[in-house]
Amino acid sequence: MSAALAFLFPGQGSQAVGMLRDLAQAHPLVGETFAEASEVLGRDLWRLVDEGPKEELDRTENTQPAMLAAGVAVWRVWQAAGGPEPQAVAGHSLGEYGALVAAGALSFVDAVAVVAERGRLMQAAVPPGAGAMAAIIGAADADVVALCEAQAQGEVLEAVNFNAPGQVVIAGARAAVERASEAAKDAGAKGVVALPVSVPAHSSLMRPAAERLAERLAGVALAAPQIPILHNASVAPEPDPVRMRELLVRQLYSPVRWVETVQRLAGEGAGLAIECGPGRVLTGLGKRIDKRFKTLPVFDPDTLATALEAANAA
């Protein structure tokens, strides 16, 4: 796999009321993409994204289809603008579904239906308020893993997102996450940030949701990707649709290995990556993981023009 240009799709946490508004005004494809998603969902997804309220957009079952549509909308605008095709794609957590659409492995309509169900299943797997997530800043990966083992005390508590050196997200039972957060501060972590999410994603508390997701994915058509996609659970491309389904199920209760993903892309020649969706979360992480890995966000006309110029000059 050669990855001179890579496309990265962000997941939950990058959403915001008003996201892609300027891009939508310049490119009707954005509105058309959200209209397509709205038809699948039976509700006006663009209105929620454009007007809020934030609390409703931040609900997992709404965030997931909204972020999927945002990533695919940017991808379609890029293609319509004549942007070069990437040699590899990857997505952070939920973003993996946007990467699958871009790679031609999953139709957008099917992806919208699947992620909406994925969000509902995740929301239903843990009672409201019973789970939590927090980012531990300034601690080594091994120290965070050991912290989780020490503070679990019979409850679920796991390191679930290896986002960048010195940034690891933990998830599990709320009380356990709170214990670990205090212990991390006492141990000298530079910071602990409680994440505003409604489910403890990628922890083993998501196994019931994963079992139901497997049933849902069994009826969804997947094809061999036309562009290699690095999966969260394996950090490797997978041409077999049967195996791809297994990786999507496993992803729900397994860590997001983002550091390894970026390192592999950089190691295989990716000199430029495009963050395909709102915000700059993956752009910031990429700088911290590998200085060789230049990432440019695309979420409005100006960032699109900058990224197109850089990609065409590469």
Side-chain angles (χ1 to χ4, degrees):
M1 184 185 75
S2 173
L5 175 65
F7 258 64
L8 309 177
F9 292 78
Q12 286 184 249
S14 291
Q15 74 275 5
V17 174
M19 65 183 185
L20 302 191
R21 184 180 294 154
D22 291 344
L23 191 68
Q25 291 175 351
H27 297 275
L29 265 173
V30 175
E32 292 167 13
T33 300
F34 273 86
E36 193 176 346
S38 297
E39 186 172 345
V40 174
L41 298 171
R43 62 183 187 274
D44 191 339
L45 189 61
W46 178 253
R47 183 173 181 177
L48 174 61
V49 165
D50 196 44
E51 300 178 9
K54 181 181 185 299
E55 295 75 17
E56 193 66 17
L57 179 60
D58 286 347
R59 285 182 59 82
T60 294
E61 63 253 47
N62 293 326
T63 307
Q64 297 205 23
M67 283 300 300
L68 170 70
V72 172
V74 172
W75 167 251
R76 289 174 171 179
V77 168
W78 177 271
Q79 290 183 302
E85 186 171 284
Q87 283 69 58
V89 294
H92 189 287
S93 186
L94 164 72
E96 190 164 306
Y97 287 85
L100 286 167
V101 174
L106 178 64
S107 76
F108 178 56
V109 167
D110 282 343
V112 171
V114 168
V115 301
E117 180 67 7
R118 180 180 183 266
R120 286 191 292 268
L121 293 172
M122 292 173 70
Q123 199 80 59
V126 178
M133 300 180 74
I136 310 298
I137 311 299
D141 291 1
D143 291 340
V144 176
V145 172
L147 175 76
C148 289
E149 293 174 352
Q151 297 299 324
Q153 298 178 19
E155 296 183 291
V156 172
L157 179 64
E158 297 156 355
V160 296
N161 288 7
F162 294 93
N163 283 337
Q167 186 186 127
V168 181
V169 173
I170 62 174
R174 178 170 295 278
V177 171
E178 290 172 351
R179 282 195 302 272
S181 296
E182 291 305 313
K185 295 174 187 175
D186 293 341
K190 291 182 180 178
V192 177
V193 181
L195 302 184
V197 296
S198 53
V199 295
H202 301 291
S203 75
S204 55
L205 290 173
M206 291 293 105
R207 281 185 178 272
E211 293 171 4
R212 297 288 303 278
L213 181 64
E215 298 171 5
R216 181 69 178 81
L217 285 169
V220 175
L222 285 174
Q226 298 166 13
I227 304 169
I229 171 174
L230 297 187
H231 293 270
N232 285 187
S234 64
V235 196
E238 179 52 66
D240 180 9
V242 173
R243 178 66 176 147
M244 286 164 58
R245 285 187 183 87
E246 294 173 356
L247 290 169
L248 289 173
V249 171
R250 203 170 96 200
Q251 185 227 56
L252 210 54
Y253 58 84
S254 301
V256 174
R257 298 158 59 187
W258 196 249
V259 172
E260 294 174 75
T261 298
V262 170
Q263 287 174 338
R264 176 160 184 173
L265 288 169
E268 295 187 2
L272 177 64
I274 305 299
E275 181 172 1
C276 196
R280 303 172 183 267
V281 171
L282 301 184
T283 299
L285 295 179
K287 291 177 181 177
R288 295 178 59 185
I289 294 168
D290 193 318
K291 299 297 184 186
R292 299 173 296 170
F293 197 72
K294 181 180 180 181
T295 308
L296 294 175
V298 173
F299 52 79
D300 63 15
D302 288 343
T303 53
L304 173 64
T306 298
L308 284 168
E309 182 179 359
N312 286 320

